[in-house]
């Protein structure tokens, strides 16, 4: 590495260190009173830590004097009492200081940690859909980035207040005391520091690669375990127990090697450091003994200097840990604050509140590309008439769900305009717009919690009767009553069809003027589909409804049908007209009809 490269590296290091500090500052600032208190206690503690060495010095010197006097025991008793009293008082003071210092340090850590986590949650909730669709922001990754960031920052704050600061201020003051006693002694203690520093730095450097590897392996192992549990059905059905076990075993062996290596390196460096420390002690002893014999100081100085030197060297032996933690914080804080400060990802909305919405949508020349570069809609123009039911038809991947995403303003079109009641969607305030839209999706999300709470999500202030009524309309009520815990059953234990009914019940409870149904009956049985269709038919009255369905029965009676193919709008019209055109719609329709084996069915019904 050239000098220039080295400088550059150091430069970015200090830059990212500064950035870390700047980012962290607003989170620490609210606790500045507490921090000042902690710092004060730390300072007092550092002074108190020097009392013992000084006292030992005093004691030994006095005892030595006493030995030369005629009645040492009687005079010694008084000295003993005074010294014991001071030592005890100092210890009590120390306990108090340490308690306060640790308690406040922890408190700062806990509070900063919870502020960081909450800020991450609050920020994420303001971000737009495209942020979550980005590949490096997917659930697992985002979660890890946030958790790791918070963890490493908390650790940094904690160590700064609980370890680094007290140790270093104690060391500095001990050094000052040593210089004060004798310049050469001070210099001797000072000289050891760079050696120590160097060794600690080497240790941190050598361990860094392994530590990173180890962390990666731990993550992979956790992930592997979660994967196994999640996919146990597939694993068993393909009889892959052995393969999965072997995969884990290999990882385990890698980890084992790595851990042993890490331990070995640690021990080598720890021994080296304690050896250097010992050399330091020996040198200090030699120098002090020389000065004592020279008559420049009392014999007590030997012990005092050893004790002071330990105060000086203590933080330096922790240096590699501090290195590690600062490095961790630098690595993970970046990812964390990137997530936190992503102003571009914040969902923007207009000022117009959507009130008394009629529900007429105009889509004009809309193009849309997902963040991963997949072009999902090309030049789509269509109208969704208010109080009418519009069906969107197309093969899998045609762009049907995407269109709904755009109508809900989850994504912004690349270009083109979507208007609701003559006003651009962009100009609406997001919350008020979505309050007017009811959405039943292909994959209906069920939150962790009871069936009741999951339905209530549709209207948080709904009464008990309203919830039950919605559940009845969604043909869920009777099924829920059969469950062992009724409405208190954990909703994630329900069957796919039952979960879909929860989503529909939510819609009934919300009761919005605009309804988007993306395969609302996809996982329902025939009887339930028929029931739900009746309920939906009832709610359709006077509302703008868009329905996506692969099931013909729900399509044929729509007022207008739009057909999408590979992101293009290819046909529009009523069922009869589209059928006559003999194009894409007819192709899909005929295939669906054939798959139903209609001839056979009609025969059966006729008999
Ligand atoms: N979040 C996403 N990120 C990237 N590409 C996406 C995303 N969602 C959908 N796509 C892609 O956009 C295209 C249209 O998808 P869309 O979900 O709109 O299809 P669809 O018509 O609803 O199909 P299906 O009937 O299977 O639900 C597909 O090629 C799909 O792979
Ligand atoms: Mg879809």
């Amino acid at each position: 590495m050239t000098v220039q490269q080295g400088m550059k590296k150091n430069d970015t290091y200090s830059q990212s260190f500064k950035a870390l500090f700047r980012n962290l500052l607003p989170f620490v600032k609210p606790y500045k009173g507490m921090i000042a208190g902690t710092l004060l206690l730390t300072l007092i503690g550092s002074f108190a830590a020097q009392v013992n060495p000084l006292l030992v010095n005093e004691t030994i010197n006095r005892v030595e004097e006493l030995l030369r006097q005629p009645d040492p025991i009687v005079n010694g008793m008084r000295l003993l009492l005074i010294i014991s009293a001071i030592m005890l008082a100092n210890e009590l003071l120390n306990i108090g200081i340490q308690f306060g210092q640790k308690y406040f340090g922890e408190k700062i850590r806990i509070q900063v940690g919870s502020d960081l986590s909450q800020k991450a949650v609050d920020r994420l909730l303001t971000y737009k859909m495209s942020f979550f669709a980005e590949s490096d922001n997917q659930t697992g990754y985002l979660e890890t980035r946030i958790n790791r960031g918070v963890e490493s920052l908390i650790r940094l704050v904690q160590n700064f207040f609980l370890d680094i600061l007290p140790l270093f201020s104690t060391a500095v003051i001990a050094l000052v005391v040593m210089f004060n006693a004798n310049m050469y002694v001070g210099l001797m203690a000072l000289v050891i520091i760079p050696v120590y520093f160097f060794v600690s730095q080497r240790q941190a450097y050598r361990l860094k690669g392994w530590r990173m590897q180890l962390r990666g392996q731990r993550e992979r192992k956790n992930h592997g375990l979660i994967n196994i549990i999640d996919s146990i059905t597939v694993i068993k059905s393909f009889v892959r127990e052995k393969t999965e076990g072997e995969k884990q075993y290999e990882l385990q062996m890698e980890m084992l090697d790595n851990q042993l290596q890490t331990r070995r390196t640690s021990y080598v460096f720890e021994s080296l450091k304690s050896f250097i420390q010992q050399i330091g002690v020996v040198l200090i002893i030699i120098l002090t003994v020389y000065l004592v014999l020279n008559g420049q100081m009392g014999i007590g100085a030997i012990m005092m200097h050893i004790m002071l030197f330990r105060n000086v060297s203590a933080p330096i032996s922790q240096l590699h840990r501090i290195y590690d933690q600062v490095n961790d914080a630098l690595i993970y804080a970046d990812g964390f604050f990137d997530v936190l400060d992503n102003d571009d990802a914040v969902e923007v909305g207009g000022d117009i509140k959507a009130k008394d919405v009629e529900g007429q949508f105009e889509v004009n020349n809309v193009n849309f590309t997902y963040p991963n570069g997949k072009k999902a809609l090309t030049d789509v123009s269509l109208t969704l008439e208010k109080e009418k039911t519009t069906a969107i038809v197309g093969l899998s991947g045609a762009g049907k769900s995407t269109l709904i995403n755009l109508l809900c303003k989850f994504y912004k079109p690349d270009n083109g305009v979507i208007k609701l009641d003559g006003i651009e969607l962009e100009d609406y305030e997001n919350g008020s717009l979505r309050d007017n839209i009811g959405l039943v999706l292909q994959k209906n999300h069920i939150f962790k919690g009871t069936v009741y709470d999951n339905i209530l999500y549709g209207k948080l202030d709904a009464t008990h009767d309203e919830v039950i009524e919605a559940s009845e309309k969604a043909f869920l009520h009777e099924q829920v009553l059969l469950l062992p815990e009724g409405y208190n059953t954990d909703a994630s234990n329900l069957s796919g069809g039952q979960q879909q009914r929860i989503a529909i019940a939510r819609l009934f409870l919300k009761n919005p003027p605009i309804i988007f149904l993306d395969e609302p009956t996809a996982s329902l049985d025939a009887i339930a589909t028929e029931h739900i269709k009746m309920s939906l038919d009832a709610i359709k009255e006077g509302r703008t409804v868009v329905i996506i369905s692969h099931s013909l029965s729900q399509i044929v009676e729509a007022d207008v049908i739009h057909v999408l193919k590979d992101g293009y709008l290819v046909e529009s019209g009523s069922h009869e007209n589209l059928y006559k055109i003999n194009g894409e719609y007819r192709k899909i329709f005929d295939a669906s009809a054939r798959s139903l084996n209609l001839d056979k069915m009609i025969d059966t019904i006729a008999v």
Side-chain angles (χ1 to χ4, degrees):
M1 185 167 39
T2 65
V3 177
Q4 223 176 4
Q5 275 173 326
M7 272 173 60
K8 206 166 152 216
K9 204 175 143 210
N10 268 340
D11 231 36
T12 52
Y13 189 86
S14 74
Q15 256 171 22
S16 39
F17 195 78
K18 269 186 216 149
L20 172 68
F21 189 76
R22 230 190 356 259
N23 281 325
L24 202 53
L25 197 63
F27 290 94
V28 186
K29 229 178 185 165
Y31 308 109
K32 49 179 189 271
M34 222 186 311
I35 291 174
T38 315
L39 294 184
L40 185 69
L41 285 177
T42 306
L43 199 67
I44 301 173
S46 303
F47 279 108
Q50 323 302 338
V51 169
N52 273 348
L54 291 172
L55 212 57
V56 167
N57 177 35
E58 223 21 59
T59 314
I60 297 177
N61 287 346
R62 291 278 178 90
V63 168
E64 200 235 357
E65 243 171 66
L66 282 174
L67 279 176
R68 283 190 250 127
Q69 284 173 10
D71 207 357
I73 296 276
V74 179
N75 289 328
M77 284 314 281
R78 220 180 109 244
L79 178 71
L80 208 63
L81 271 175
I82 295 173
I83 288 172
S84 313
I86 298 179
M87 276 197 165
L88 278 178
N90 185 45
E91 213 39 55
L92 284 177
L93 178 71
N94 247 332
I95 291 173
I97 291 168
Q98 277 201 13
F99 176 80
Q101 202 248 350
K102 288 217 161 80
Y103 177 74
F104 286 127
E106 283 283 353
K107 205 166 162 186
I108 294 167
R109 173 187 76 94
I110 293 168
Q111 299 214 341
V112 169
S114 94
D115 289 356
L116 282 166
S117 305
Q118 189 55 39
K119 177 80 192 231
V121 173
D122 288 344
R123 280 294 279 190
L124 275 188
L125 286 171
T126 67
Y127 287 172
K128 48 190 172 192
M129 285 290 212
S130 53
F131 171 83
F132 297 94
E134 276 169 36
S135 57
D136 53 344
N137 286 341
Q138 273 159 14
T139 339
Y141 296 104
L142 206 54
E143 207 175 84
T144 322
R145 268 164 80 186
I146 292 175
N147 287 342
R148 282 255 207 73
V150 174
E151 262 169 39
S152 65
L153 287 168
I154 289 177
R155 220 176 305 127
L156 187 70
V157 170
Q158 179 192 20
N159 283 308
F160 183 73
F161 286 108
L162 295 187
D163 295 346
I164 305 180
L165 212 61
L167 280 174
F168 273 84
S169 66
T170 304
V172 170
I173 293 170
L175 204 58
V176 171
V177 176
M178 286 178 98
F179 264 105
N180 194 37
N182 180 285
M183 195 183 70
Y184 294 105
V185 175
L187 277 178
M188 183 71 86
L190 196 61
V191 161
I192 301 288
I193 292 177
V195 180
Y196 238 74
F197 208 83
F198 176 75
V199 175
S200 277
Q201 197 193 17
R202 294 299 307 162
Q203 180 179 17
Y205 179 76
R206 283 289 295 278
L207 288 178
K208 195 169 142 196
W210 282 322
R211 267 172 12 92
M212 292 282 233
Q213 258 182 32
L214 196 63
R215 191 162 10 197
Q217 286 162 345
R218 285 224 176 91
E219 262 161 37
R220 269 173 30 224
K221 191 160 169 268
N222 277 345
H223 219 79
L225 211 57
I226 292 170
N227 257 340
I228 289 180
I229 297 167
D230 276 353
S231 331
I232 193 71
T233 324
V234 184
I235 295 173
K236 285 205 177 288
S237 72
F238 284 95
V239 201
R240 292 283 182 266
E241 288 94 334
K242 207 163 152 245
T243 338
E244 292 296 328
E246 279 165 3
K247 268 197 235 161
Q248 291 299 307
Y249 180 76
E250 274 168 31
L251 195 58
Q252 196 68 56
M253 287 300 109
E254 269 179 44
M255 269 175 78
L256 195 96
D257 272 356
N258 205 333
Q259 274 170 320
L260 286 178
Q261 291 262 28
T262 314
R263 284 288 109 209
R264 201 159 51 215
T265 316
S266 280
Y267 286 136
V268 170
F269 276 98
E270 290 307 322
S271 318
L272 187 62
K273 282 196 299 196
S274 98
F275 185 64
I276 294 171
Q277 195 189 23
Q278 217 43 52
I279 292 180
V281 173
V282 170
L283 289 178
I284 295 274
I285 291 176
I286 294 173
L287 182 63
T288 314
V289 167
Y290 171 77
L291 292 170
V292 170
L293 293 178
N294 224 7
Q296 278 173 272
M297 41 184 71
I299 194 166
I302 302 175
M303 201 58 211
M304 174 176 78
H305 287 167
I306 294 173
M307 290 170 85
L308 286 173
F309 182 69
R310 286 202 191 283
N311 279 352
V312 175
S313 59
I316 303 166
S317 60
Q318 303 283 331
L319 212 70
H320 71 281
R321 254 186 48 212
I322 295 161
Y323 251 82
D324 288 351
Q325 276 151 5
V326 172
N327 270 330
D328 272 10
L330 283 178
I331 296 167
Y332 297 121
D334 254 9
F336 175 73
F337 285 115
D338 277 354
V339 173
L340 219 63
D341 298 335
N342 196 339
D343 289 336
D344 293 341
V346 174
E347 196 173 28
V348 283
D351 307 321
I352 301 177
K353 293 245 181 223
K355 257 174 68 186
D356 305 324
V357 165
E358 291 187 355
Q360 176 99 5
F361 279 98
E362 306 274 348
V363 178
N364 281 320
N365 306 101
V366 162
N367 286 282
F368 177 71
T369 315
Y370 276 106
N372 69 356
K374 165 78 197 168
K375 178 139 202 198
L377 293 177
T378 312
D379 204 24
V380 172
S381 298
L382 52 84
T383 305
L384 305 176
E385 297 286 346
K386 64 178 177 194
E387 297 173 17
K388 292 267 167 67
T389 298
T390 307
I392 313 276
V393 175
L395 299 179
S396 204
K400 306 180 295 292
S401 302
T402 305
L403 183 62
I404 300 250
N405 278 335
L406 294 189
L407 292 172
C408 293
K409 212 178 156 185
F410 289 151
Y411 292 95
K412 203 173 147 247
D414 302 344
N415 48 45
V417 174
I418 302 179
K419 285 184 184 167
L420 169 62
D421 294 349
I423 300 171
E424 283 193 29
L425 277 197
E426 290 230 3
D427 298 335
Y428 281 108
E429 198 255 319
N430 298 331
S432 72
L433 175 73
R434 289 177 197 149
D435 274 342
N436 284 288
I437 299 176
L439 195 58
V440 177
L441 290 174
Q442 259 177 319
K443 284 177 250 163
N444 284 296
H445 193 76
I446 296 300
F447 290 98
K448 197 144 187 54
T450 63
V451 173
Y452 188 88
D453 288 342
N454 263 283
I455 300 175
L456 193 67
Y457 206 79
K459 182 181 167 198
L460 295 177
D461 58 355
T463 62
H464 184 263
D465 288 348
E466 284 176 311
V467 172
I468 303 299
E469 196 191 323
S471 169
E472 279 168 349
K473 278 195 204 155
F475 293 91
L476 180 64
H477 184 65
E478 281 176 19
Q479 298 224 347
V480 171
L481 292 185
L482 294 178
L483 297 170
E485 289 173 89
Y487 278 95
N488 288 328
T489 311
D490 182 357
S492 53
N493 290 338
L494 298 193
S495 76
Q498 287 166 336
Q499 292 188 357
Q500 190 133 26
R501 275 177 251 205
I502 289 186
I504 293 167
R506 259 187 218 151
L507 172 81
F508 284 129
L509 200 58
K510 185 172 181 182
N511 198 16
I514 301 167
I515 295 175
F516 296 147
L517 305 164
D518 194 347
E519 300 274 5
T521 52
S523 30
L524 295 185
D525 58 67
I527 307 265
T529 304
E530 195 186 6
H531 283 160
I532 297 267
K533 191 175 167 304
M534 285 185 321
S535 291
L536 287 176
D537 285 346
I539 201 180
K540 274 178 188 170
E541 285 300 311
R543 293 171 215 252
T544 307
V545 178
V546 175
I547 180 160
I548 297 174
S549 178
H550 291 295
S551 110
L552 294 178
S553 63
Q554 292 170 25
I555 298 296
V556 290
E557 56 182 41
D559 298 305
V560 187
I561 300 170
H562 295 295
V563 185
L564 286 175
K565 185 182 180 188
D566 299 332
Y568 290 86
L569 178 70
V570 287
E571 290 162 20
S572 299
S574 67
H575 165 70
E576 289 76 16
N577 286 340
L578 290 180
Y579 193 76
K580 273 187 223 140
I581 295 174
N582 204 0
E584 180 75 5
Y585 180 76
R586 172 115 181 215
K587 217 165 78 187
I588 296 173
F589 184 87
D590 285 347
S592 305
R594 277 197 302 277
S595 70
L596 283 179
N597 208 348
L598 278 184
D599 295 344
K600 179 95 188 224
M601 284 197 191
I602 290 166
D603 286 352
T604 317
I605 295 167
V607 172

